[in-house]
Amino acid sequence: QKEVEQDPGPLSVPEGAIVSLNCTYSNSAFQYFMWYRQYSRKGPELLMYTYSSGNKEDGRFTAQVDKSSKYISLFIRDSQPSDSATYLCAMVDTGGFKTIFGAGTRLFVKA
Amino acid sequence: GAVVSQHPSRVICKSGTSVKIECRSLDFQATTMFWYRQFPKQSLMLMATSNEGSKATYEQGVEKDKFLINHASLTLSTLTVTSAHPEDSSFYICSAPRTTEIAQYFGPGTRLLVL
């Protein structure tokens, strides 16, 4: 079993839809959770960064962490064609320094 | 703006030659940098951790004599692909965390094509 599971998609939605991207994990020591966006042929860009459980909102993006279920989500409201990219979840435990990445979900937002 | 830069962004070389890729932290010092490899439509694969002032730590299965890493200063790490072969063709990305942060900041990546 992988430490972090993420559905690779692709996920195709119409413009304006609410997008839900998710990851599950098995290591209960993970405390830091990140979401990255990667456009084709570019390096990943940090979108959201949360510590422990709870919600964090930034514009159209909301990151949600449920440590009891070992489940994290990224919601994108009013999705735009420019949101079309691969979204990677990432996690770090309290003791380690290594970041574990999910496989990435490819998102297509159709105009 | 970008906090980590990479150079070159794209390189084409002949089989058997060596290629050097530079990774720089632009507005912070990075005692640690990470090097990743990414194949098309696949996730990031950590190759090695670059440590300023000491040897790099390589992940299992990564040949350290093939992929030479030098962390020359607190803002510069280099990856040299030695005696490159077509199977080394890939997208190489570096990253670095700010001193007080856990999250990594990625460079724009270097696309290597070995003919």
Side-chain angles (χ1 to χ4, degrees):
Chain A
Q1 182 188 7
K2 292 181 181 178
E3 283 191 280
V4 179
E5 298 277 0
Q6 183 176 12
D7 186 340
L11 177 62
S12 183
V13 301
E15 183 176 359
I18 297 175
V19 176
S20 174
L21 304 166
N22 312 293
C23 288
T24 59
Y25 61 95
S26 57
N27 187 349
S28 58
F30 286 138
Q31 295 286 343
Y32 302 91
F33 304 91
M34 286 78 74
W35 285 96
Y36 289 86
R37 177 175 63 195
Q38 186 177 23
Y39 290 112
S40 181
R41 299 172 183 253
K42 302 289 184 183
E45 169 194 10
L46 180 65
L47 272 181
M48 302 284 286
Y49 166 41
T50 56
Y51 170 70
S52 198
S53 284
N55 291 1
K56 184 174 183 179
E57 189 174 319
D58 184 1
R60 296 185 295 112
F61 298 90
T62 299
Q64 195 172 77
V65 174
D66 181 350
K67 291 192 68 184
S68 62
S69 302
K70 297 190 178 67
Y71 188 89
I72 69 170
S73 301
L74 177 70
F75 298 97
I76 307 174
R77 291 183 298 280
D78 188 24
S79 56
Q80 304 294 310
S82 59
D83 294 327
S84 298
T86 296
Y87 290 80
L88 300 103
C89 63
M91 309 178 188
V92 181
D93 65 25
T94 50
F97 195 65
K98 186 181 294 186
T99 301
I100 307 298
F101 288 90
T105 299
R106 296 178 68 201
L107 171 67
F108 295 96
V109 181
K110 298 175 291 185
Chain B
V3 297
V4 176
S5 69
Q6 258 182 267
H7 178 79
S9 59
R10 185 181 303 176
V11 58
I12 301 173
C13 69
K14 293 181 179 179
S15 186
T17 60
S18 294
V19 175
K20 179 185 284 188
I21 303 170
E22 292 186 350
C23 178
R24 294 181 185 273
S25 56
L26 297 180
D27 62 353
F28 64 99
Q29 294 181 331
T31 56
T32 301
M33 292 184 175
F34 301 92
W35 287 96
Y36 294 85
R37 185 173 180 176
Q38 188 176 38
F39 291 104
K41 299 183 181 180
Q42 293 190 25
S43 190
L44 303 166
M45 184 191 79
L46 179 64
M47 299 175 65
T49 302
S50 173
N51 304 298
E52 191 273 335
S54 63
K55 292 182 179 180
T57 305
Y58 290 82
E59 296 300 301
Q60 191 173 9
V62 177
E63 299 176 59
K64 59 182 179 181
D65 295 331
K66 171 78 172 173
F67 299 99
L68 299 178
I69 291 173
N70 181 27
H71 202 131
S73 73
L74 287 171
T75 60
L76 173 64
S77 174
T78 60
L79 168 68
T80 301
V81 183
T82 63
S83 187
H85 290 284
E87 57 265 30
D88 298 324
S89 299
S90 190
F91 192 50
Y92 293 87
I93 314 174
C94 69
S95 72
R98 292 181 185 270
T99 307
T100 57
E101 298 181 25
I102 292 289
Q104 295 180 32
Y105 293 86
F106 286 87
T110 297
R111 190 160 300 279
L112 171 63
L113 176 61
V114 184
L115 302 176

